[in-house]
């Protein structure tokens, strides 16, 4: 474990150096968040019946989405891993005396944490200061906040477990383009990044509930806003853990199978 902790720490420190890119991301995501809220405000003001999420809950949902974007999107990727697989440098990884799955897992988590740490605090700070209805709200209680933190941490680990399949698929396709497109489109739609899941039609909501993607974003954000009570959140945490065990176990088996068929050519 000391090896993987060292990898995570070094990658985290390395990621914290890119402050210029992070500040540019803060401005971009703050603008996107404001635009989304304006669109939904117009939609809510002309709704014929009360929407399933209040505007206050939706505003908190959108600001969390923008502030924690690096933690919760599948398109945030490590191109070095794609190059290792596609160009044959995976041979160097196979020579290292550690478990490759855990090593890559540590790198990917550190990459997301460093990017989110630099961007999230400025966005949330401004979001708490701006006037209503754009102002970010506090969670209903301290207990809700603690449960939100737990669900968010599990969501990040679960998202990295899902993204590992994106890298593993390149062992077969040898091109990351198709894998990125498929994972991004399906994963982010059913995570609630395009449209919050409570605003989807009933059929899509039922489908989203049986997939793991909503537990990477929709679930923790609705726990924060209070739309999912703490009692229901505890049941959701069990589902997150079940998906995590299943995906990590299946990911390890898949990695072993694709490595058994790897052929590296060249001198």
């Amino acid at each position: 474990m000391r090896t993987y902790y060292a990898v995570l720490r070094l990658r985290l420190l390395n990621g914290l150096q890119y402050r210029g890119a992070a500040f540019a991301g803060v401005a971009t995501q703050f603008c996107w968040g404001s635009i989304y809220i304006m669109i939904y405000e117009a939609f809510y003001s002309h709704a014929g019946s009360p929407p399933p999420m209040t505007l206050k809950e939706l505003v908190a949902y959108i600001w969390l989405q923008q502030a924690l974007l690096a933690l919760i999107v599948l398109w945030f990727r490590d191109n070095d891993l794609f190059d290792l697989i596609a160009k044959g440098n995976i041979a160097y990884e196979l020579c290292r005396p550690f478990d490759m799955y855990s090593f890559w897992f540590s790198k990917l988590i550190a990459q997301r944490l460093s990017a989110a740490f630099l961007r999230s605090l400025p966005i949330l700070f401004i979001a708490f200061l701006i006037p209503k209805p754009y102002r970010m709200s506090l969670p209903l209680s301290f207990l809700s906040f603690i449960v939100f933190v737990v669900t968010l941490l599990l969501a990040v680990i679960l998202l990295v477990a899902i993204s590992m399949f994106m890298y593993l698929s390149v062992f077969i396709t040898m091109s990351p383009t198709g894998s990125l497109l498929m994972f991004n489109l399906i994963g982010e739609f059913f995570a609630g990044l395009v449209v919050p899941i409570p605003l989807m039609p009933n059929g899509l909501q039922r489908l989203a509930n049986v997939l793991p993607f909503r537990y990477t974003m929709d679930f923790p954000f609705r726990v924060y806003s209070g739309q999912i009570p703490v009692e229901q959140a505890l049941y959701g945490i069990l589902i997150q853990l079940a998906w995590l065990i299943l995906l990590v176990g299946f990911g390890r088996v898949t990695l072993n199978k694709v490595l058994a068929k790897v052929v590296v050519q060249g001198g």
Side-chain angles (χ1 to χ4, degrees), residues 202-214:
N202 290 335
L204 283 177
Q205 285 190 44
R206 284 194 290 273
L207 181 57
N209 287 335
V210 298
L211 296 174
F213 304 110
R214 71 165 290 243

Side-chain angles (χ1 to χ4, degrees), residues 141-219:
S141 64
F142 182 69
L143 181 60
S144 297
F145 178 72
I146 295 297
V147 176
F148 160 71
V149 172
V150 172
T151 57
L152 183 62
L153 291 174
L154 288 173
V156 175
I157 301 172
L158 181 59
L159 189 75
V160 172
I162 294 171
S163 72
M164 284 293 289
F165 287 97
M166 192 166 64
Y167 298 100
L168 296 178
S169 67
V170 180
F171 279 100
I172 301 168
T173 64
M174 298 309 293
S175 171
T177 306
S179 300
L180 284 171
L181 190 64
M182 292 298 294
F183 275 88
N184 292 350
L185 283 176
I186 296 173
E188 289 171 6
F189 182 78
F190 285 108
L193 189 65
V194 180
V195 178
I197 289 178
L199 302 183
M200 289 181 178
N202 290 335
L204 283 177
Q205 285 190 44
R206 284 194 290 273
L207 181 57
N209 287 335
V210 298
L211 296 174
F213 304 110
R214 71 165 290 243
Y215 294 96
T216 63
M217 195 196 81
D218 174 79
F219 174 59

Side-chain angles (χ1 to χ4, degrees), residues 17-33 66 69 75 115 118-120 122-123 126:
Q17 297 177 29
Y18 299 99
R19 296 183 182 86
F23 292 142
V26 168
T28 304
Q29 287 159 224
F30 190 80
C31 290
W32 273 112
Q66 296 301 316
L69 197 68
W75 56 256
L118 289 172
R119 299 179 189 200
S120 60
I123 294 175
I126 298 170

Side-chain angles (χ1 to χ4, degrees), residues 14-241:
N14 185 51
L16 291 175
Q17 297 177 29
Y18 299 99
R19 296 183 182 86
F23 292 142
V26 168
T28 304
Q29 287 159 224
F30 190 80
C31 290
W32 273 112
S34 302
I35 293 169
Y36 275 127
I37 294 172
M38 289 178 194
I39 294 170
Y40 281 114
E41 187 188 8
F43 169 73
Y44 272 49
S45 64
H46 294 87
S49 58
M53 289 181 82
T54 65
L55 186 59
K56 181 182 173 184
E57 292 168 347
L58 188 65
V59 168
Y61 191 99
I62 291 173
W63 284 130
L64 287 172
Q65 190 183 81
Q66 296 301 316
L68 303 173
L69 197 68
L71 284 181
I72 49 123
V73 292
L74 276 167
W75 56 256
F76 195 83
R77 58 190 182 271
D78 187 335
N79 287 323
D80 290 342
L81 293 186
F82 286 130
D83 287 343
L84 282 176
I85 300 167
K87 295 182 179 177
N89 291 332
I90 190 71
Y92 296 112
E93 297 286 279
L94 294 172
C95 295
R96 299 182 197 277
F98 48 62
D99 175 57
M100 189 185 293
Y101 189 91
S102 301
F103 181 65
W104 287 7
F105 211 95
S106 305
K107 286 176 68 177
L108 294 173
I109 285 185
Q111 185 188 35
R112 288 177 180 274
L113 288 178
S114 60
F117 182 76
L118 289 172
R119 299 179 189 200
S120 60
L121 294 180
I123 294 175
L124 291 176
F125 179 74
I126 298 170
F128 274 113
L129 296 179
I130 57 179
K132 293 182 179 179
Y134 300 94
R135 185 186 300 167
M136 175 82 175
S137 57
L138 292 169
L140 293 179
S141 64
F142 182 69
L143 181 60
S144 297
F145 178 72
I146 295 297
V147 176
F148 160 71
V149 172
V150 172
T151 57
L152 183 62
L153 291 174
L154 288 173
V156 175
I157 301 172
L158 181 59
L159 189 75
V160 172
I162 294 171
S163 72
M164 284 293 289
F165 287 97
M166 192 166 64
Y167 298 100
L168 296 178
S169 67
V170 180
F171 279 100
I172 301 168
T173 64
M174 298 309 293
S175 171
T177 306
S179 300
L180 284 171
L181 190 64
M182 292 298 294
F183 275 88
N184 292 350
L185 283 176
I186 296 173
E188 289 171 6
F189 182 78
F190 285 108
L193 189 65
V194 180
V195 178
I197 289 178
L199 302 183
M200 289 181 178
N202 290 335
L204 283 177
Q205 285 190 44
R206 284 194 290 273
L207 181 57
N209 287 335
V210 298
L211 296 174
F213 304 110
R214 71 165 290 243
Y215 294 96
T216 63
M217 195 196 81
D218 174 79
F219 174 59
F221 291 178
R222 287 168 64 193
V223 169
Y224 179 94
S225 67
Q227 222 215 4
I228 296 180
V230 172
E231 298 77 19
Q232 290 183 25
L234 298 178
Y235 175 70
I237 288 173
L238 293 178
I239 298 177
Q240 278 184 312
L241 290 171

